[in-house]
Amino acid sequence: MATSLLAFITAFAVVFLVELPDKTMVATLVLTTRYRAWPVFVGVVAAFAVQSVVAVAFGSAITLLPDRVVAAVVALLFGVGAFMLLKEGFSRDEDSADEAGTSTVVPFWRAALTSFGVLFAAEWGDASQLATAGITARYGAPLAVGLGAWFALVAVAGLAVLVGRKLAGRLPTHWIQRVAGVVFAVFGVVALTQVF
């Protein structure tokens, strides 16, 4: 019991600290400025649940992947994300309809699935996923580690959704997309430097 509690607390603390300034928080912020908050939160939380299970299931196996392969895939994902965000952010420059507080009205399921897909893809090879796998291997308590990691991810997602809703009411969406695109590009360059 003590080992499981220690594993839970360790997983929560490590994943929370790793995810707070991470790309997944930025992605959740951007999604919340584009769609209603509730479907974004549901999609993000579901993606985090699946990724936590994947990380725990693979345990230390994920950490055995060559660092350069993981870094190259992460750099590619960031690069594609940066391109898409910047392209959409600058293409909206001429649109007069893109005012502060404007969000896209889509069905709940579509916003939730989009959010799930974005965060599910962004979490592959992420530091929190690798940390979850390593903590699982160290403590041998997969359920406690998985729950600790998932609760930390949900807490970060909740913060991102709250901040995203506040930003959506004050800033034009295209500016948020531009800033997020630059942040994604920086993450991509950092990941690319780990390849070489």
Side-chain angles (χ1 to χ4, degrees):
M1 181 68 168
T3 303
S4 292
L5 183 59
L6 183 59
F8 177 89
I9 292 169
T10 302
F12 182 90
V14 169
V15 171
F16 186 83
L17 290 175
V18 165
E19 283 296 317
L20 206 50
D22 195 52
K23 67 189 177 300
T24 52
M25 185 167 185
V26 173
T28 305
L29 278 165
V30 171
L31 287 165
T32 305
T33 64
R34 300 296 295 161
Y35 304 116
R36 294 183 319 246
W38 184 240
V40 169
F41 186 71
V42 168
V44 167
V45 166
F48 285 151
V50 173
Q51 285 293 11
S52 293
V53 169
V54 168
V56 167
F58 284 109
S60 61
I62 291 176
T63 61
L64 298 176
L65 289 173
D67 291 340
R68 289 182 177 192
V69 171
V70 173
V73 171
V74 169
L76 178 66
L77 288 173
F78 281 136
V80 169
F83 173 77
M84 291 172 60
L85 285 166
L86 290 170
K87 180 181 175 192
E88 188 169 340
F90 281 103
S91 70
R92 295 192 173 278
D93 205 18
E94 309 84 35
D95 296 347
S96 58
D98 188 24
E99 299 170 4
T102 303
S103 63
T104 307
V105 178
V106 297
F108 180 95
W109 64 268
R110 182 172 167 206
L113 283 176
T114 300
S115 301
F116 177 89
V118 168
L119 272 293
F120 183 77
E123 275 297 296
W124 282 105
D126 192 58
S128 64
Q129 190 180 45
L130 297 175
T132 302
I135 295 168
T136 300
R138 183 173 191 279
Y139 286 103
L143 182 60
V145 172
L147 286 174
W150 184 67
F151 281 131
L153 291 165
V154 169
V156 171
L159 288 172
V161 166
L162 289 174
V163 171
R165 285 186 50 94
K166 297 292 184 190
L167 288 177
R170 292 181 168 70
L171 295 174
T173 304
H174 67 274
W175 279 107
I176 296 169
Q177 289 171 324
R178 290 175 187 179
V179 170
V182 170
V183 170
F184 269 48
V186 169
F187 283 139
V189 169
V190 169
L192 196 58
T193 62
Q194 296 171 352
V195 175
F196 303 108

